[in-house]
Amino acid sequence: MKHFRLILVFTLFLVPGSMRSAQGANERDSSFILLVVPESDTTMTSSAVYRLSASTNPGRRVTINGKSYKVYPSGAFAGLLGLSVGENRFVVTSAGSAADTISKSFLVIRSKPLETTSRDTLAIEDPLMEPSLDLWLNEGDELRVQFKGTPGCTASFLDGLPMRELSPSENGGLKGVYQGIHKILATDTLNNQSIALRLEDSTGRAVTRQTESRVSFKPREFPMVAVTKADRPALDFGPGEDRLGGAKLSFINPRVRLAITGKVGERYRVALSKNQEAWIKEDQVDILSAGTFPPHTQTGNITVSGDEKFDYITVNMGEKLPYSSDQELEPTRINVDIYGAVSNTNWIVQHNTVREIKNLYYTQVEKDVFRVTIELKHKQVWGYELGYVGNNLFVKIRRQPDRLKVKALTIALDAGHGGPNNGALGSTGSREKDVTFSTVMHLKRLLEKKGARVVLTRSDDTYPLNSERLKTVLASGADILISIHSNSVAVTSNPEESKGVSTYYKYICYRPLSQELLKSVVKTGLTPFANVGSFNFTLNSPTELPNALVELAFISNPEDEMKLMNDEFRKEIAEKIVDGIEDFLDYCDD
Ligand SMILES: [Zn+2]
């Protein structure tokens, strides 16, 4: 019994607050070295540096390959390891007051940078080969071909189209990188073929390769007509990708018709108008049979009306066309662009049941882009939904709440990660999912005490997908959404350098909420890291309600981690978030 009690006290001492760490009590009882990043004993990277996040028993001395590291009161130690090309063996030692030095070693292997192909062999190599994805190209598109091979040769692609060798100075000293471009003509055809590459040396010896990617020239088949499917198809601005996916232009309804004019990898290019393009994932559309008319319609009457809860705008249309929206501040406006639509709108019928809409008008901004501009009475946009009823586009405008008090509102809270998804880990093994959940529980109690109705996207240690969380929020009719996460640096950054709180929004009209939250949370003493806009995060993506993401602090930073592991501090952050919501409501009331 005595032994049991001792372990318990020890654990509480090491991990303040109510949270358990990933490290078990038994291991904590004796000397340990916990390596969080790198995650495994052997790590491969192409980077010249690698992050270290680790911990040992508090009060011990740590060295790595003989160099001393600062050990924080939590036992955390962290830094950025420099890497040579090849194998880097690191030995961590942790020494206590007695002669009980323990050690742990791990390996980080930095891959060699690309080297110039030897002149002794005639070869076309795999790295740098373009196109790397399958392509469907239209008239006027460029087929861009690149490969790396023996320098100083003559390179060509397709049926003898010339390629040029880049000068090493354009290419970090690397020789033998060849590039060629072919602009697709109306008469070009190529049906799902790999591209033939050829390299010939001065003696006339030649080597050929085929790209793994397959290319089609389809000027005669474009535009193809597609129709959207799936839950919430997204139009991206470009074919780019990052950790959060490509930058989003618009979320649209199913059954919307799109003109397809190309494909890169798994994404179709969409011609929105004469001058504007977007991209959509292939699994979000069905291609209709050849001969289907491309999307295009004239607009009819516009009706503006209201019921007890919302204002509505209905644009009569002949078919479902793609749309996007943006917002302007001062004066407050929502612009809805409908692509492929030409005005034949001769009536804008405005009923006096409208309460939030001040003015509504349209502009034909391009010959095939019809823009509806909605001016609001209040400076804050409280949300709007866009979609179709039949072939008519509707905009449902949420009005400013009558009482700008927390007790009059429904507030949705999202605790990031959960269940098998731990989120980021701190140096002591603390888990982001526990920090977010605990903070959200404090927030819930504080908001309910003030009389608010609170909706949670998760109420236990489970992991609903972000798309499911969003559905929960939208179905609840919540007035405000706040998502809680904690930040972490990448494996190539120094965890001791980035710290503090940051808030995020996607749409400019919801920036004020994120700014008020940031202003308030820094009063806890956390460093202001940044206010980040255009953030491509699912729970920042609804236009339906004001929303913000709060990244409480950097769990990857040992000092921030200690704060996040302190339950009193989490409660204090929650109090400041509540204050921030109230400051936002005051801002709206001005
Ligand atoms: Zn997170």
Side-chain angles (χ1 to χ4, degrees):
M1 283 302 285
K2 198 178 171 193
H3 180 64
F4 183 79
R5 209 176 81 104
L6 198 102
I7 290 171
L8 190 71
V9 171
F10 200 38
T11 308
L12 284 173
F13 168 68
L14 279 172
V15 188
S18 59
M19 279 185 291
R20 270 189 322 108
S21 147
Q23 185 78 16
N26 288 334
E27 287 165 85
R28 292 278 183 182
D29 201 24
S30 53
S31 306
F32 70 92
I33 295 169
L34 171 68
L35 196 60
V36 174
V37 181
E39 271 179 70
S40 47
D41 292 343
T42 304
T43 304
M44 308 283 293
T45 182
S46 58
S47 169
V49 288
Y50 210 87
R51 175 184 147 196
L52 171 80
S53 288
S55 54
T56 185
N57 313 70
R60 293 174 71 93
R61 296 181 310 282
V62 165
T63 63
I64 299 177
N65 292 358
K67 185 185 160 218
S68 289
Y69 274 68
K70 173 178 178 175
V71 178
Y72 290 81
S74 60
F77 55 97
L80 199 60
L81 305 167
L83 304 175
S84 311
V85 170
E87 291 196 355
N88 298 265
R89 167 73 59 187
F90 294 97
V91 180
V92 185
T93 64
S94 166
S97 47
D100 63 340
T101 300
I102 53 169
S103 69
K104 188 171 193 129
S105 86
F106 61 94
L107 194 62
V108 184
I109 302 169
R110 179 178 162 194
S111 54
K112 278 189 192 164
L114 276 184
E115 286 172 0
T116 297
T117 310
S118 160
R119 285 179 191 270
D120 302 342
T121 58
L122 187 61
I124 296 173
E125 298 183 333
D126 287 331
L128 303 181
M129 195 179 285
E130 295 283 349
S132 58
L133 297 169
D134 293 354
L135 303 175
W136 292 4
L137 299 174
N138 197 8
E139 182 186 356
D141 286 342
E142 286 175 346
L143 170 65
R144 292 167 174 236
V145 177
Q146 173 179 278
F147 67 79
K148 173 179 172 291
T150 314
C153 297
T154 305
S156 61
F157 69 106
L158 283 174
D159 297 319
L161 294 173
M163 298 177 76
R164 135 179 193 273
E165 186 178 353
L166 298 186
S167 91
S169 62
E170 292 171 75
N171 220 13
L174 196 61
K175 293 176 192 161
V177 177
Y178 299 86
Q179 291 185 338
I181 294 179
H182 171 61
K183 198 163 193 171
I184 313 304
L185 306 173
T187 50
D188 281 345
T189 54
L190 190 72
N191 189 15
N192 200 31
Q193 310 236 325
S194 53
I195 302 294
L197 309 171
R198 188 170 188 278
L199 193 64
E200 185 181 323
D201 70 10
S202 54
T203 70
R205 213 157 48 104
V207 62
T208 58
R209 282 283 301 269
Q210 301 282 325
T211 60
E212 264 182 41
S213 59
R214 293 177 168 270
V215 178
S216 298
F217 300 156
K218 292 177 176 276
R220 293 175 194 177
E221 292 169 57
F222 289 139
M224 295 173 180
V225 180
V227 62
T228 56
K229 58 181 183 183
D231 241 11
R232 199 170 173 251
L235 293 173
D236 291 354
F237 282 102
E241 269 285 354
D242 75 1
R243 182 172 65 82
L244 297 163
K248 301 282 181 292
L249 168 68
S250 183
F251 296 91
I252 57 177
N253 274 20
R255 309 306 302 164
V256 168
R257 284 191 175 205
L258 303 173
I260 304 294
T261 61
K263 193 178 182 192
V264 173
E266 293 170 350
R267 287 157 183 254
Y268 288 118
R269 179 174 58 196
V270 177
L272 291 175
S273 70
K274 267 252 172 293
N275 302 316
Q276 293 185 66
E277 289 177 348
W279 295 76
I280 192 165
K281 291 202 177 113
E282 67 177 337
D283 62 2
Q284 299 192 333
V285 294
D286 286 323
I287 301 279
L288 303 181
S289 51
T292 307
F293 288 158
H296 185 83
T297 195
Q298 293 183 345
T299 62
N301 298 346
I302 299 179
T303 309
V304 187
S305 62
D307 62 14
E308 306 82 56
K309 291 187 79 178
F310 300 96
D311 285 0
Y312 299 90
I313 296 140
T314 308
V315 183
N316 276 274
M317 309 242 293
E319 57 182 285
K320 292 189 182 76
L321 300 179
Y323 52 83
S324 67
S325 71
D326 62 17
Q327 314 84 30
E328 295 173 55
L329 310 177
E330 300 177 41
T332 314
R333 290 191 183 121
I334 300 165
N335 298 310
V336 178
D337 286 345
I338 309 170
Y339 302 96
V342 174
S343 174
N344 193 33
T345 297
N346 294 309
W347 290 276
I348 299 180
V349 183
Q350 300 171 77
H351 294 288
N352 64 3
T353 46
V354 165
R355 277 166 43 194
E356 184 62 56
I357 298 171
K358 186 160 110 191
N359 278 308
L360 184 135
Y361 51 89
Y362 72 79
T363 351
Q364 189 73 47
V365 288
E366 288 177 35
K367 73 176 186 183
D368 50 358
V369 181
F370 180 82
R371 173 174 296 170
V372 178
T373 298
I374 306 154
E375 287 186 358
L376 301 184
K377 285 184 184 159
H378 293 99
K379 68 176 172 185
Q380 180 60 46
V381 175
W382 276 85
Y384 62 94
E385 182 188 344
L386 274 166
Y388 281 99
V389 173
N391 285 337
N392 297 331
L393 185 83
F394 76 87
V395 190
K396 180 174 159 186
I397 308 270
R398 178 196 289 272
R399 295 171 185 149
Q400 176 154 302
D402 291 332
R403 286 185 305 155
L404 289 166
K405 296 281 173 217
V406 163
K407 68 176 171 198
L409 302 180
T410 299
I411 297 177
L413 301 175
D414 170 51
H417 311 279
N421 183 316
N422 288 331
L425 299 179
S427 297
T428 66
S430 60
R431 303 177 297 197
E432 181 183 358
K433 69 167 184 177
D434 298 324
V435 171
T436 62
F437 188 73
S438 162
T439 309
V440 159
M441 286 299 124
H442 282 303
L443 263 174
K444 179 177 187 286
R445 275 191 294 275
L446 292 166
L447 288 167
E448 284 176 345
K449 223 166 90 184
K450 285 183 174 274
R453 184 181 154 236
V454 170
V455 173
L456 301 178
T457 58
R458 71 172 170 106
S459 50
D460 52 21
D461 188 20
T462 53
Y463 183 61
L465 296 175
N466 283 334
S467 55
E468 293 164 17
R469 295 172 193 235
L470 183 55
K471 275 186 198 164
T472 305
V473 173
L474 296 181
S476 73
D479 300 290
I480 289 176
L481 161 63
I482 296 182
S483 184
I484 303 291
H485 280 248
S486 69
N487 223 333
S488 179
V489 295
V491 293
T492 51
S493 298
N494 188 336
E496 288 183 298
E497 277 171 13
S498 295
K499 60 179 178 178
V501 54
S502 43
T503 61
Y504 301 73
Y505 64 93
K506 175 170 171 67
Y507 306 109
I508 190 68
C509 61
Y510 301 142
R511 186 173 189 211
L513 173 62
S514 68
Q515 286 173 303
E516 294 298 343
L517 290 168
L518 184 61
K519 257 194 270 175
S520 185
V521 177
V522 295
K523 290 177 188 160
T524 58
L526 283 168
T527 313
F529 181 70
N531 177 233
V532 179
S534 290
F535 195 60
N536 192 15
F537 170 53
T538 304
L539 290 157
N540 283 136
S541 73
T543 57
E544 280 87 343
L545 75 173
N547 59 76
L549 161 67
V550 183
E551 296 272 3
L552 302 172
F554 279 82
I555 200 167
S556 53
N557 179 283
E559 281 174 0
D560 274 9
E561 185 197 14
M562 285 192 285
K563 291 177 179 172
L564 290 172
M565 292 306 286
N566 180 331
D567 191 51
E568 275 305 310
F569 192 81
R570 292 194 299 268
K571 191 172 162 220
E572 201 187 326
I573 292 182
E575 285 164 358
K576 295 303 174 210
I577 290 173
V578 174
D579 291 350
I581 295 171
E582 290 182 328
D583 293 343
F584 168 69
L585 296 175
D586 288 346
Y587 157 88
C588 297
D589 209 8
D590 274 355

